[in-house]
Amino acid sequence: MILTSNRGFAEWGDVFGDPVVATALLDRLLHHAVVIQIEGSSYRMRQHADLLPEHARMATSINPPPLPKRRGRPPAKEKPDLHHG
């Protein structure tokens, strides 16, 4: 499952109207999850940049986003194949 949000975890209490409910939800949602935080320009904005007027295009920095920061549990190490070798 992939879940995206434009809100940080600290803001989820405001979104749900109750910080206790938000904390419980995040606790269950993030258990064994891999969180990838992407910062930078929106892909949708970059895709539609040609629709913007020239003066707006110059004023808006539409750069490719940096590589995402990987957070969460590291990937499992591969076990050596004992049958071949």
Side-chain angles (χ1 to χ4, degrees):
M1 176 186 351
I2 297 175
L3 178 68
T4 63
S5 174
N6 63 345
R7 302 291 179 114
F9 296 140
E11 298 175 75
W12 282 39
D14 296 333
V15 172
F16 287 99
D18 186 348
V20 175
V21 170
T23 300
L25 176 69
L26 286 168
D27 179 56
R28 287 154 181 81
L29 185 64
L30 297 175
H31 185 67
H32 294 296
V34 174
V35 177
I36 300 173
Q37 183 174 345
I38 300 173
E39 298 173 0
S41 301
S42 165
Y43 284 105
R44 289 181 294 269
M45 288 299 294
R46 286 192 308 157
Q47 186 177 23
H48 297 294
D50 57 330
L51 300 176
L52 293 173
E54 186 66 31
H55 69 279
R57 227 180 295 164
M58 296 294 223
T60 307
S61 172
I62 302 178
N63 298 318
L67 293 175
K69 298 175 185 175
R70 190 175 190 287
R71 298 182 186 204
R73 192 177 289 219
K77 294 182 181 178
E78 291 185 29
K79 295 180 181 177
D81 188 0
L82 300 176
H83 299 289
H84 298 94

